Amino acid sequence: MKKWNKKGGDKVMTLYWFAILFLVAGAIVYMTALYYGKPYDIREIEANFLTNKVADCLSEGGRLVDNWRDIKTENFLQKCGLTFNVEDTEGWKAQEQYYVEVNFRKFDGSSVEKESIIIGNKNLKDFCDKEGVNLPVCSEREFYVLGPRNIGGEDKLKLDTDANTQYIIKIKSIVRKTEKNVQ
Amino acid sequence: MFNKKAQVGETITWFVATIIIIVILAIAIFIVSSRIFENDKVLKVEKIDSDLLVTKSLLGYLLTDKNYDGFKEIELSEGVIDFDNAFFDSVFNLYKKEYSSNQVLFRINSEYEKWEGYSKSAGLPNKILLNRGGLPSNMRATKFFYESINLKNIGDKKKNTIIELMLN
Protein backbone atom coordinates (compact mmCIF):
# COMPACT_ATOMS: atom_id res chain seq x y z
CA MET A 1 0.00 0.00 0.00
CA LYS A 2 2.78 2.32 0.98
CA LYS A 3 4.63 1.52 -2.25
CA TRP A 4 1.55 2.28 -4.34
CA ASN A 5 1.10 5.65 -2.63
CA LYS A 6 4.68 6.63 -3.33
CA LYS A 7 4.32 5.80 -6.99
CA GLY A 8 1.11 7.81 -7.20
CA GLY A 9 2.75 10.77 -5.48
CA ASP A 10 5.68 10.67 -7.90
CA LYS A 11 3.31 10.63 -10.85
CA VAL A 12 1.45 13.64 -9.52
CA MET A 13 4.72 15.47 -8.97
CA THR A 14 5.90 14.63 -12.48
CA LEU A 15 2.69 16.01 -13.91
CA TYR A 16 3.04 19.08 -11.74
CA TRP A 17 6.60 19.66 -12.88
CA PHE A 18 5.59 19.33 -16.51
CA ALA A 19 2.74 21.77 -15.95
CA ILE A 20 5.10 24.29 -14.37
CA LEU A 21 7.65 23.73 -17.11
CA PHE A 22 5.08 24.41 -19.82
CA LEU A 23 3.78 27.40 -17.90
CA VAL A 24 7.22 28.98 -17.57
CA ALA A 25 8.25 28.12 -21.14
CA GLY A 26 4.94 29.43 -22.47
CA ALA A 27 5.33 32.67 -20.54
CA ILE A 28 8.88 33.16 -21.83
CA VAL A 29 7.77 32.53 -25.43
CA TYR A 30 4.86 34.91 -24.95
CA MET A 31 7.08 37.66 -23.52
CA THR A 32 9.65 37.23 -26.27
CA ALA A 33 6.95 37.41 -28.91
CA LEU A 34 5.47 40.43 -27.19
CA TYR A 35 8.77 42.32 -27.19
CA TYR A 36 10.21 41.28 -30.53
CA GLY A 37 6.83 41.17 -32.25
CA LYS A 38 6.56 44.93 -32.04
CA PRO A 39 8.01 46.65 -35.07
CA TYR A 40 10.84 49.14 -34.90
CA ASP A 41 9.68 52.67 -35.47
CA ILE A 42 12.00 54.04 -38.13
CA ARG A 43 9.83 56.95 -39.22
CA GLU A 44 12.02 59.59 -37.61
CA ILE A 45 15.00 58.27 -39.52
CA GLU A 46 12.95 58.12 -42.70
CA ALA A 47 11.77 61.71 -42.24
CA ASN A 48 15.36 62.78 -41.66
CA PHE A 49 16.52 60.97 -44.79
CA LEU A 50 13.79 62.71 -46.72
CA THR A 51 14.88 66.08 -45.36
CA ASN A 52 18.51 65.37 -46.27
CA LYS A 53 17.53 64.25 -49.74
CA VAL A 54 15.55 67.45 -50.30
CA ALA A 55 18.40 69.59 -48.95
CA ASP A 56 20.83 67.80 -51.25
CA CYS A 57 18.54 68.36 -54.18
CA LEU A 58 18.36 72.11 -53.55
CA SER A 59 21.91 72.90 -52.55
CA GLU A 60 25.45 71.84 -53.17
CA GLY A 61 28.72 73.08 -51.70
CA GLY A 62 27.03 75.69 -49.52
CA ARG A 63 25.09 77.21 -52.41
CA LEU A 64 21.72 76.71 -54.01
CA VAL A 65 21.83 74.70 -57.20
CA ASP A 66 21.75 76.75 -60.39
CA ASN A 67 18.23 75.68 -61.34
CA TRP A 68 16.69 76.02 -57.90
CA ARG A 69 14.05 78.43 -59.13
CA ASP A 70 12.89 75.83 -61.64
CA ILE A 71 12.21 73.29 -58.94
CA LYS A 72 8.52 73.62 -58.22
CA THR A 73 5.76 71.58 -56.67
CA GLU A 74 4.81 70.15 -60.05
CA ASN A 75 8.24 68.78 -60.90
CA PHE A 76 9.74 68.42 -57.44
CA LEU A 77 9.65 64.63 -57.21
CA GLN A 78 11.08 64.20 -60.67
CA LYS A 79 13.83 66.81 -60.27
CA CYS A 80 14.87 65.49 -56.89
CA GLY A 81 14.66 61.84 -57.84
CA LEU A 82 12.07 61.05 -55.20
CA THR A 83 8.96 58.96 -55.22
CA PHE A 84 6.14 58.89 -52.71
CA ASN A 85 4.90 55.49 -53.88
CA VAL A 86 4.23 53.06 -51.06
CA GLU A 87 3.21 49.43 -50.71
CA ASP A 88 -0.40 48.62 -51.42
CA THR A 89 -1.19 47.63 -47.88
CA GLU A 90 -3.22 48.96 -44.96
CA GLY A 91 -4.96 51.35 -47.31
CA TRP A 92 -1.77 53.29 -47.90
CA LYS A 93 -2.44 53.73 -51.58
CA ALA A 94 -5.65 55.61 -50.84
CA GLN A 95 -3.99 57.94 -48.38
CA GLU A 96 -0.56 59.38 -49.14
CA GLN A 97 2.00 58.58 -46.46
CA TYR A 98 4.39 61.47 -47.00
CA TYR A 99 4.34 65.23 -46.92
CA VAL A 100 7.13 67.62 -47.81
CA GLU A 101 7.06 71.38 -47.57
CA VAL A 102 9.99 73.59 -48.52
CA ASN A 103 9.94 77.27 -47.64
CA PHE A 104 12.46 79.82 -48.82
CA ARG A 105 13.23 83.08 -47.09
CA LYS A 106 16.12 85.46 -47.02
CA PHE A 107 18.45 85.49 -44.06
CA ASP A 108 17.38 89.01 -43.15
CA GLY A 109 13.81 87.78 -42.88
CA SER A 110 12.50 89.23 -46.11
CA SER A 111 10.51 87.06 -48.42
CA VAL A 112 11.73 85.43 -51.58
CA GLU A 113 9.99 85.55 -54.91
CA LYS A 114 9.70 81.84 -54.99
CA GLU A 115 6.69 79.82 -54.07
CA SER A 116 6.97 77.18 -51.41
CA ILE A 117 7.14 73.62 -52.56
CA ILE A 118 4.28 71.64 -51.07
CA ILE A 119 3.73 68.03 -51.96
CA GLY A 120 2.07 64.99 -50.41
CA ASN A 121 -0.73 64.51 -47.91
CA LYS A 122 -1.51 67.94 -46.46
CA ASN A 123 -3.69 66.45 -43.73
CA LEU A 124 -0.61 65.06 -42.01
CA LYS A 125 0.48 68.59 -41.12
CA ASP A 126 -2.26 68.89 -38.52
CA PHE A 127 -0.66 66.18 -36.38
CA CYS A 128 2.72 67.85 -36.02
CA ASP A 129 1.88 69.88 -32.94
CA LYS A 130 0.29 66.89 -31.22
CA GLU A 131 1.99 64.24 -29.18
CA GLY A 132 1.28 60.55 -29.40
CA VAL A 133 2.75 57.27 -30.49
CA ASN A 134 0.26 56.55 -33.22
CA LEU A 135 0.65 59.87 -34.96
CA PRO A 136 2.75 60.73 -38.01
CA VAL A 137 6.34 61.74 -37.36
CA CYS A 138 7.36 65.27 -38.33
CA SER A 139 10.79 66.68 -38.96
CA GLU A 140 11.24 70.41 -39.42
CA ARG A 141 14.73 71.69 -40.01
CA GLU A 142 16.42 74.69 -41.57
CA PHE A 143 19.73 75.41 -43.16
CA TYR A 144 21.66 78.42 -44.28
CA VAL A 145 22.75 78.65 -47.89
CA LEU A 146 23.96 81.17 -50.42
CA GLY A 147 22.51 81.84 -53.85
CA PRO A 148 23.83 79.91 -56.84
CA ARG A 149 27.30 80.80 -58.02
CA ASN A 150 27.28 80.24 -61.72
CA ILE A 151 24.98 81.53 -64.32
CA GLY A 152 26.12 78.68 -66.52
CA GLY A 153 28.03 78.64 -69.73
CA GLU A 154 31.75 78.20 -70.06
CA ASP A 155 32.77 81.04 -67.81
CA LYS A 156 32.44 79.34 -64.48
CA LEU A 157 33.71 82.34 -62.58
CA LYS A 158 31.02 84.60 -63.83
CA LEU A 159 28.61 85.08 -61.04
CA ASP A 160 24.93 84.99 -60.73
CA THR A 161 23.55 88.26 -59.37
CA ASP A 162 22.10 86.10 -56.65
CA ALA A 163 25.49 84.71 -55.66
CA ASN A 164 25.84 86.45 -52.35
CA THR A 165 22.22 86.42 -51.34
CA GLN A 166 21.76 84.58 -48.10
CA TYR A 167 18.86 82.23 -47.75
CA ILE A 168 17.32 80.11 -45.07
CA ILE A 169 15.57 77.04 -46.34
CA LYS A 170 13.08 75.34 -44.10
CA ILE A 171 12.19 71.75 -44.86
CA LYS A 172 9.28 70.02 -43.22
CA SER A 173 9.06 66.29 -43.81
CA ILE A 174 6.28 64.11 -42.46
CA VAL A 175 6.02 60.34 -42.59
CA ARG A 176 2.84 58.51 -41.61
CA LYS A 177 3.16 54.72 -42.08
CA THR A 178 1.80 54.22 -38.58
CA GLU A 179 0.49 50.69 -39.11
CA LYS A 180 3.87 49.19 -39.84
CA ASN A 181 5.91 51.15 -37.34
CA VAL A 182 3.72 51.24 -34.27
CA GLN A 183 1.53 48.55 -32.72
CA MET B 1 -2.01 10.59 11.16
CA PHE B 2 1.55 11.74 11.18
CA ASN B 3 1.96 10.78 7.53
CA LYS B 4 -1.16 12.70 6.50
CA LYS B 5 0.06 15.92 8.14
CA ALA B 6 3.27 15.68 6.24
CA GLN B 7 1.37 15.27 2.95
CA VAL B 8 -0.82 18.31 3.67
CA GLY B 9 2.26 20.37 4.50
CA GLU B 10 3.97 19.36 1.29
CA THR B 11 0.87 20.17 -0.77
CA ILE B 12 0.63 23.63 0.76
CA THR B 13 4.31 24.22 0.01
CA TRP B 14 3.85 23.36 -3.65
CA PHE B 15 0.62 25.27 -3.85
CA VAL B 16 2.33 28.41 -2.51
CA ALA B 17 5.30 27.81 -4.81
CA THR B 18 2.96 27.57 -7.80
CA ILE B 19 1.26 30.81 -6.84
CA ILE B 20 4.65 32.52 -6.51
CA ILE B 21 5.77 31.23 -9.91
CA ILE B 22 2.53 32.42 -11.52
CA VAL B 23 2.77 35.84 -9.85
CA ILE B 24 6.39 36.27 -10.99
CA LEU B 25 5.48 35.34 -14.55
CA ALA B 26 2.47 37.65 -14.49
CA ILE B 27 4.65 40.55 -13.31
CA ALA B 28 7.20 39.80 -16.05
CA ILE B 29 4.49 39.68 -18.71
CA PHE B 30 3.00 42.91 -17.40
CA ILE B 31 6.36 44.68 -17.58
CA VAL B 32 7.05 43.47 -21.10
CA SER B 33 3.59 44.39 -22.33
CA SER B 34 3.69 47.80 -20.68
CA ARG B 35 5.26 50.77 -22.43
CA ILE B 36 8.47 50.65 -20.46
CA PHE B 37 10.40 49.30 -23.44
CA GLU B 38 8.58 51.47 -25.94
CA ASN B 39 11.55 53.76 -26.53
CA ASP B 40 13.73 50.76 -27.38
CA LYS B 41 11.59 50.32 -30.45
CA VAL B 42 11.84 53.88 -31.67
CA LEU B 43 14.99 54.36 -33.67
CA LYS B 44 16.28 57.90 -33.29
CA VAL B 45 18.41 59.91 -35.61
CA GLU B 46 21.89 60.08 -34.18
CA LYS B 47 23.47 63.39 -35.01
CA ILE B 48 26.73 62.34 -33.42
CA ASP B 49 28.30 61.14 -36.64
CA SER B 50 27.06 63.71 -39.06
CA ASP B 51 24.39 66.25 -39.64
CA LEU B 52 23.93 67.18 -43.23
CA LEU B 53 22.00 70.39 -42.67
CA VAL B 54 24.51 71.76 -40.17
CA THR B 55 27.26 70.90 -42.60
CA LYS B 56 25.47 72.73 -45.37
CA SER B 57 24.98 75.73 -43.12
CA LEU B 58 28.64 75.69 -42.17
CA LEU B 59 29.70 75.59 -45.79
CA GLY B 60 27.33 78.43 -46.59
CA TYR B 61 28.75 80.36 -43.68
CA LEU B 62 32.32 79.83 -44.81
CA LEU B 63 31.51 80.95 -48.31
CA THR B 64 29.76 84.09 -47.18
CA ASP B 65 31.67 87.24 -47.86
CA LYS B 66 30.31 89.77 -45.49
CA ASN B 67 32.01 92.67 -47.22
CA TYR B 68 30.61 91.74 -50.54
CA ASP B 69 31.65 93.91 -53.41
CA GLY B 70 31.89 91.44 -56.16
CA PHE B 71 32.54 87.83 -55.52
CA LYS B 72 35.36 86.69 -53.33
CA GLU B 73 35.50 83.15 -52.19
CA ILE B 74 37.08 82.47 -48.85
CA GLU B 75 40.50 80.92 -49.19
CA LEU B 76 40.29 77.99 -46.90
CA SER B 77 43.83 76.93 -47.62
CA GLU B 78 45.24 80.12 -46.13
CA GLY B 79 43.17 79.74 -43.04
CA VAL B 80 42.12 83.36 -43.26
CA ILE B 81 38.57 83.30 -42.18
CA ASP B 82 36.95 86.37 -40.83
CA PHE B 83 34.72 85.10 -38.13
CA ASP B 84 31.88 87.39 -37.42
CA ASN B 85 30.63 86.26 -34.06
CA ALA B 86 27.19 87.75 -34.30
CA PHE B 87 26.70 86.42 -37.78
CA PHE B 88 28.00 83.01 -36.80
CA ASP B 89 25.65 82.93 -33.86
CA SER B 90 22.68 83.85 -35.97
CA VAL B 91 23.45 81.16 -38.53
CA PHE B 92 23.86 78.45 -35.94
CA ASN B 93 20.97 79.76 -33.96
CA LEU B 94 18.96 77.59 -36.31
CA TYR B 95 20.12 74.57 -34.35
CA LYS B 96 19.91 75.86 -30.82
CA LYS B 97 17.06 73.48 -30.03
CA GLU B 98 18.98 70.47 -31.28
CA TYR B 99 22.42 71.23 -29.95
CA SER B 100 23.51 73.00 -26.84
CA SER B 101 26.26 74.78 -28.65
CA ASN B 102 28.21 77.11 -26.48
CA GLN B 103 31.46 75.98 -28.03
CA VAL B 104 32.22 75.35 -31.61
CA LEU B 105 35.57 74.03 -32.57
CA PHE B 106 36.45 73.95 -36.17
CA ARG B 107 39.40 72.39 -37.86
CA ILE B 108 40.59 72.33 -41.41
CA ASN B 109 43.07 69.80 -42.51
CA SER B 110 44.42 68.46 -45.72
CA GLU B 111 43.84 64.85 -44.97
CA TYR B 112 41.88 62.61 -42.71
CA GLU B 113 43.06 62.78 -39.19
CA LYS B 114 41.48 61.80 -36.00
CA TRP B 115 39.97 64.52 -33.94
CA GLU B 116 42.64 64.15 -31.28
CA GLY B 117 45.41 64.91 -33.71
CA TYR B 118 45.95 68.63 -33.98
CA SER B 119 49.19 68.42 -35.89
CA LYS B 120 49.84 70.84 -38.67
CA SER B 121 49.67 69.39 -42.07
CA ALA B 122 50.71 70.81 -45.41
CA GLY B 123 50.98 74.28 -43.97
CA LEU B 124 47.32 74.47 -43.17
CA PRO B 125 46.08 75.83 -39.90
CA ASN B 126 45.68 73.00 -37.49
CA LYS B 127 42.82 74.43 -35.58
CA ILE B 128 40.77 77.51 -35.46
CA LEU B 129 38.43 78.29 -32.68
CA LEU B 130 35.29 79.98 -33.69
CA ASN B 131 33.17 82.27 -31.74
CA ARG B 132 34.61 82.24 -28.25
CA GLY B 133 38.26 83.14 -28.71
CA GLY B 134 40.35 80.40 -27.21
CA LEU B 135 40.04 76.80 -26.31
CA PRO B 136 38.98 76.63 -22.69
CA SER B 137 40.90 74.22 -20.54
CA ASN B 138 37.76 72.68 -19.18
CA MET B 139 36.26 71.99 -22.57
CA ARG B 140 34.57 68.66 -22.63
CA ALA B 141 33.38 67.00 -25.77
CA THR B 142 30.14 65.83 -24.33
CA LYS B 143 28.27 66.28 -27.53
CA PHE B 144 29.93 66.47 -30.84
CA PHE B 145 29.42 65.64 -34.41
CA TYR B 146 31.47 66.03 -37.48
CA GLU B 147 31.07 65.75 -41.15
CA SER B 148 33.71 65.09 -43.67
CA ILE B 149 33.19 67.02 -46.81
CA ASN B 150 35.12 66.95 -49.99
CA LEU B 151 35.38 70.54 -51.06
CA LYS B 152 36.74 69.86 -54.51
CA ASN B 153 33.98 71.94 -56.01
CA ILE B 154 35.63 75.00 -54.48
CA GLY B 155 38.96 74.44 -56.10
CA ASP B 156 41.42 71.75 -57.02
CA LYS B 157 43.91 72.88 -54.39
CA LYS B 158 41.61 71.88 -51.62
CA LYS B 159 40.61 68.58 -53.00
CA ASN B 160 40.94 66.70 -49.78
CA THR B 161 40.08 69.44 -47.37
CA ILE B 162 38.17 68.11 -44.45
CA ILE B 163 36.02 70.16 -42.19
CA GLU B 164 35.21 68.88 -38.80
CA LEU B 165 32.72 70.71 -36.73
CA MET B 166 32.39 70.07 -33.10
CA LEU B 167 29.76 71.42 -30.83
CA ASN B 168 30.40 71.07 -27.16
Side-chain angles (χ1 to χ4, degrees):
Chain A
M1 189 67 178
K2 261 188 181 176
K3 257 190 174 178
W4 187 85
N5 268 348
K6 247 190 182 176
K7 269 188 181 172
D10 283 348
K11 272 184 184 173
V12 170
M13 283 309 290
T14 308
L15 282 174
Y16 172 80
W17 275 116
F18 267 109
I20 292 292
L21 191 71
F22 279 111
L23 188 72
V24 173
I28 290 170
V29 168
Y30 178 68
M31 284 187 283
T32 309
L34 210 62
Y35 181 77
Y36 288 102
K38 282 182 189 168
Y40 281 97
D41 191 349
I42 58 158
R43 293 175 301 164
E44 188 184 320
I45 291 178
E46 197 174 1
N48 198 59
F49 278 158
L50 191 56
T51 302
N52 286 353
K53 185 81 182 162
V54 173
D56 257 346
C57 172
L58 292 168
S59 76
E60 193 182 350
R63 293 186 172 281
L64 284 164
V65 293
D66 294 347
N67 64 340
W68 72 285
R69 285 188 186 274
D70 301 333
I71 301 174
K72 296 171 183 170
T73 300
E74 301 81 52
N75 60 13
F76 173 74
L77 292 178
Q78 187 203 347
K79 292 249 182 196
C80 292
L82 289 168
T83 175
F84 283 180
N85 291 341
V86 286
E87 309 160 57
D88 192 7
T89 179
E90 315 276 359
W92 284 1
K93 284 273 180 188
Q95 180 182 203
E96 279 189 288
Q97 301 297 306
Y98 296 102
Y99 175 81
V100 170
E101 184 178 322
V102 186
N103 293 304
F104 304 86
R105 66 180 158 88
K106 286 189 180 165
F107 189 64
D108 59 13
S110 58
S111 58
V112 181
E113 287 174 17
K114 164 113 180 79
E115 279 186 16
S116 300
I117 296 167
I118 297 172
I119 191 155
N121 186 350
K122 289 175 189 167
N123 296 329
L124 300 180
K125 251 177 92 174
D126 299 335
F127 295 103
C128 282
D129 52 351
K130 295 181 173 62
E131 281 187 21
V133 188
N134 294 311
L135 299 176
V137 171
C138 305
S139 156
E140 189 173 89
R141 303 199 71 208
E142 295 176 301
F143 69 101
Y144 170 84
V145 69
L146 295 176
R149 177 179 178 177
N150 298 315
I151 55 170
E154 287 181 2
D155 188 359
K156 293 289 179 192
L157 289 174
K158 202 170 178 185
L159 296 171
D160 193 306
T161 49
D162 205 16
N164 220 39
T165 312
Q166 301 159 318
Y167 295 95
I168 297 289
I169 298 180
K170 185 195 273 187
I171 303 170
K172 179 182 261 187
S173 306
I174 309 175
V175 179
R176 189 182 167 273
K177 292 185 165 182
T178 314
E179 294 83 359
K180 288 216 166 183
N181 286 275
V182 188
Q183 269 184 3
Chain B
M1 191 71 174
F2 176 80
N3 273 348
K4 260 190 182 173
K5 264 189 183 172
Q7 272 182 341
V8 170
E10 203 176 331
T11 308
I12 288 172
T13 305
W14 283 112
F15 182 74
V16 172
T18 309
I19 299 285
I20 290 171
I21 290 169
I22 289 171
V23 168
I24 290 171
L25 289 176
I27 291 170
I29 289 172
F30 175 76
I31 290 170
V32 173
S33 60
S34 67
R35 298 199 156 179
I36 291 173
F37 297 113
E38 201 169 68
N39 282 341
D40 292 356
K41 290 286 179 176
V42 179
L43 301 186
K44 298 278 179 191
V45 179
E46 282 295 332
K47 297 189 178 77
I48 301 296
D49 292 332
S50 67
D51 188 325
L52 185 73
L53 296 200
V54 176
T55 304
K56 283 182 179 293
S57 295
L58 175 67
L59 266 178
Y61 170 82
L62 290 175
L63 295 175
T64 304
D65 182 0
K66 287 157 292 280
N67 304 308
Y68 181 66
D69 53 350
F71 188 81
K72 179 188 161 212
E73 201 140 84
I74 291 169
E75 283 294 326
L76 287 175
S77 62
E78 291 169 15
V80 182
I81 303 174
D82 176 24
F83 296 125
D84 179 331
N85 285 354
F87 180 59
F88 182 89
D89 279 344
S90 53
V91 169
F92 288 92
N93 208 26
L94 298 172
Y95 307 104
K96 67 179 176 185
K97 284 181 190 166
E98 296 160 76
Y99 299 103
S100 53
S101 58
N102 52 17
Q103 292 289 342
V104 178
L105 193 67
F106 169 70
R107 183 172 67 127
I108 304 171
N109 226 321
S110 64
E111 56 190 66
Y112 269 102
E113 279 182 24
K114 286 188 178 176
W115 174 252
E116 291 78 19
Y118 291 104
S119 60
K120 276 196 173 188
S121 169
L124 295 176
N126 59 345
K127 61 179 177 178
I128 304 164
L129 191 71
L130 295 181
N131 198 29
R132 293 291 185 270
L135 184 68
S137 55
N138 61 349
M139 185 170 160
R140 288 181 299 121
T142 50
K143 197 171 203 177
F144 81 96
F145 61 96
Y146 71 90
E147 176 64 80
S148 302
I149 318 155
N150 193 336
L151 293 177
K152 64 182 174 188
N153 57 326
I154 291 177
D156 287 337
K157 275 185 193 172
K158 300 134 217 156
K159 234 173 194 171
N160 296 311
T161 302
I162 303 298
I163 290 177
E164 289 183 348
L165 177 69
M166 175 166 140
L167 297 188
N168 181 22

